[in-house]
Amino acid sequence: MTIYRATALDTPDNPFTGGVLRSAQDAGIRVEDGVIRARGDFPDVRKAHPDDAVVDLRGGVLLPGFVDTHVHYPQVRAIGALGMPLLDWLEHSALPEEARLADPAYAAEVARELVSGLVAAGTTTALVFGAHFGSAVDALFTEVSRLGLRVTAGLVVSDRVLRPELLTTPTRAYDEGRALAERWHGIGRTRYAVTPRFSLSSSDALLESCAALAKDVEGAWFTSHLNENLAEIRRVAAQFAASVDYLDTYDHHGLVGPRSVFAHNVHVSDRELSLLASQGAAVAHCPTSNSALGSGPFPLRRHVEHAVTVALGSDVGAGTGFSLLKEGLQAYFIQQLLGPQGLLLTSTHLLYLATRAGAEALGLADEVGDLSVGRAFDAVWVRPAPGATLETVLRHAASPADALAKIFALGTVADTAGVWVAGSQVLGQLPGRVAAQHTGG
Ligand SMILES: [Zn+2]
């Protein structure tokens, strides 16, 4: 049993519907078998459990582990290719790199880079857009399992439009996906996600095979792209002439449901928003990617008004890094620039979007997303180095919400001083404690 002593901030209740920031200046969070069993003021928790080990995390802020709902495994090395819109970027930057993951040794290296990037950013749970090659997806699951990260991912499938080495057939997509799901779905903390790249690179037969796989793998997730870029949307409309809109291309095959997460959704109709809400499907909002590719400003207000679940995604490698602090700040910027059409986001909203909302979107709301009793101890300790500007402004913060705003404004991966998944420390080294780098689980 361990008691973590920290200034803790989290958002157990949705701030878009009235929830407020929960802050505890001197919290005692008691963890047993990776699960938070008690929390309260540190002196009280300590008094009740005088024999427990104490990990002193004062001098920083403890947050729930971040939840990234859209990040591309094979695009780590493609980060930073600026200056192109989506379809050009895919052709010239992302897809040539994705093709290299056909080589298992190359894929294994990239899997390590992805996982270390996620952990360094404080991301403990992710919906990862996988690779087009089964061996590469095995490498991803192998690597995330070494650290015990909560990762949902799958084989990316396409049967048209893309370069030939990335294409498959509906039958092969089903068979390879099924085999991967049998190896990884529900094993430890990994789950399988059926993942057609997007409708543009999918025939109806391929989407049908995806629907069959999603049905046959009990509890499988579904993820894809939706309404990202106007040129993309025009091509999807031309290809699926019978569909009323982009979402309909998926819905036609029964792929819009409570275990579906769609990335982007920048240019969305009210009909699509209503359908997403009624089906309980979630949207991954990827602010730096939307800005970097010029995809457009995300209509967050309309999503909230339609009660669609929205959470943050880094969308590496169109996104500009793994940090959900940066994504939160960019989300805030865009909403500010939208003026009356935007939604003024507080730091409480940003933390919610980076943690609790992601847990809700991924069906993990009972397990992670905040630091309540009963949740797994998935946490990130933000502690800037002495003399860093963030350290200075945190000392002068007027309130917990103000401190949190400063963390979103100034925080980077350099400020991640410790990361835990289910009570196992996967990053950072504390005085007198050696980090458990690999849990073996
Ligand atoms: Zn994406």
Side-chain angles (χ1 to χ4, degrees):
M1 278 68 70
T2 304
I3 301 171
Y4 295 88
R5 181 176 196 178
T7 295
L9 301 178
D10 65 353
T11 52
D13 300 311
N14 184 349
F16 292 100
T17 54
V20 298
L21 181 66
R22 176 167 64 175
S23 72
Q25 185 60 39
D26 187 15
I29 297 175
R30 183 168 187 266
V31 175
E32 183 180 355
D33 297 330
V35 176
I36 299 171
R37 300 293 183 191
R39 65 170 281 171
D41 289 335
F42 174 78
D44 299 337
V45 176
R46 182 59 174 158
K47 200 170 163 191
H49 305 279
D51 298 327
D52 287 0
V54 173
V55 175
D56 192 341
L57 302 178
R58 285 176 295 176
V61 175
L62 192 70
L63 304 174
F66 295 129
V67 181
D68 188 339
T69 59
H70 188 68
V71 51
H72 289 258
Y73 151 44
Q75 294 178 6
V76 178
R77 299 182 186 186
I79 294 173
L82 304 177
M84 289 174 274
L86 173 67
L87 298 177
D88 293 339
W89 176 80
L90 281 171
E91 184 181 341
H92 297 296
S93 182
L95 297 182
E97 175 63 16
E98 296 215 8
R100 293 184 191 111
L101 274 80
D103 173 0
Y106 190 95
E109 263 182 55
V110 176
R112 283 192 289 276
E113 292 161 3
L114 173 88
V115 167
S116 68
L118 291 171
V119 169
T123 296
T124 52
T125 297
L127 176 57
V128 177
F129 221 86
H132 286 269
F133 309 98
S135 55
V137 177
D138 276 321
L140 168 67
F141 278 126
T142 299
E143 184 61 17
V144 300
S145 298
R146 290 208 307 147
L147 286 176
L149 295 187
R150 291 173 212 281
V151 164
T152 305
L155 181 71
V156 180
V157 295
S158 291
D159 66 346
R160 60 188 303 282
V161 171
L162 307 185
R163 46 199 291 146
E165 63 267 49
L166 298 181
L167 300 181
T168 186
T169 64
T171 304
R172 206 178 112 208
Y174 179 94
D175 291 344
E176 291 183 3
R178 180 95 193 230
L180 283 162
E182 279 165 11
R183 285 199 285 283
W184 298 106
H185 184 59
I187 306 300
R189 301 184 192 114
T190 61
R191 302 181 302 179
Y192 195 77
V194 177
T195 313
R197 180 160 209 111
F198 54 175
S199 292
L200 182 57
S201 62
S202 306
S203 67
D204 269 309
L206 184 79
L207 293 173
E208 196 55 46
S209 86
C210 288
L213 182 60
K215 183 166 156 281
D216 293 347
V217 177
E218 198 184 332
W221 284 73
F222 175 82
T223 192
S224 195
H225 294 96
L226 178 67
N227 289 321
E228 179 173 0
N229 164 287
L230 292 172
E232 168 214 19
I233 294 166
R234 276 195 296 274
R235 285 181 62 182
V236 168
Q239 184 190 328
F240 293 88
S243 295
V244 297
D245 48 39
Y246 200 151
L247 187 62
D248 193 36
T249 64
Y250 299 115
D251 187 44
H252 181 68
H253 297 283
L255 294 168
V256 182
R259 290 197 301 276
S260 305
V261 179
F262 293 98
H264 299 288
N265 210 29
V266 173
H267 308 281
V268 57
S269 68
D270 284 343
R271 192 205 82 89
E272 290 170 299
L273 287 170
S274 298
L275 182 62
L276 289 165
S278 67
Q279 298 294 345
V283 167
H285 172 30
C286 308
T288 69
S289 169
N290 292 344
S291 299
L293 298 179
S295 300
F298 181 70
L300 178 61
R301 176 180 287 283
R302 290 173 58 222
H303 282 75
V304 169
E305 285 171 356
H306 281 83
V308 176
T309 299
V310 175
L312 285 179
S314 66
D315 197 25
V316 157
T320 60
F322 290 101
S323 173
L324 290 192
L325 296 175
K326 190 202 272 191
E327 295 303 327
L329 183 64
Q330 186 68 18
Y332 165 82
F333 286 155
I334 294 297
Q335 295 307 310
Q336 286 290 76
L337 291 170
L338 277 171
Q341 292 176 313
L343 203 54
L344 177 62
L345 295 173
T346 66
S347 61
T348 304
H349 292 108
L350 300 185
L351 182 62
Y352 176 79
L353 288 169
T355 57
R356 183 81 204 144
E360 306 262 357
L362 300 182
L364 296 170
D366 291 340
E367 294 173 52
V368 296
D370 60 51
L371 298 171
S372 296
V373 172
R375 307 273 187 257
F377 187 67
D378 283 20
V380 52
W381 183 35
V382 177
R383 187 195 54 175
T389 305
L390 178 56
E391 194 252 353
T392 303
V393 299
L394 279 179
R395 269 192 282 114
H396 298 284
S399 65
D402 187 39
L404 188 58
K406 288 162 171 33
I407 288 172
F408 274 98
L410 284 161
T412 71
V413 295
D415 303 307
T416 309
V419 179
W420 293 260
V421 180
S424 285
Q425 193 174 1
V426 294
L427 183 127
Q429 200 156 348
L430 302 176
R433 283 172 63 99
V434 176
Q437 285 294 341
H438 295 281
T439 62

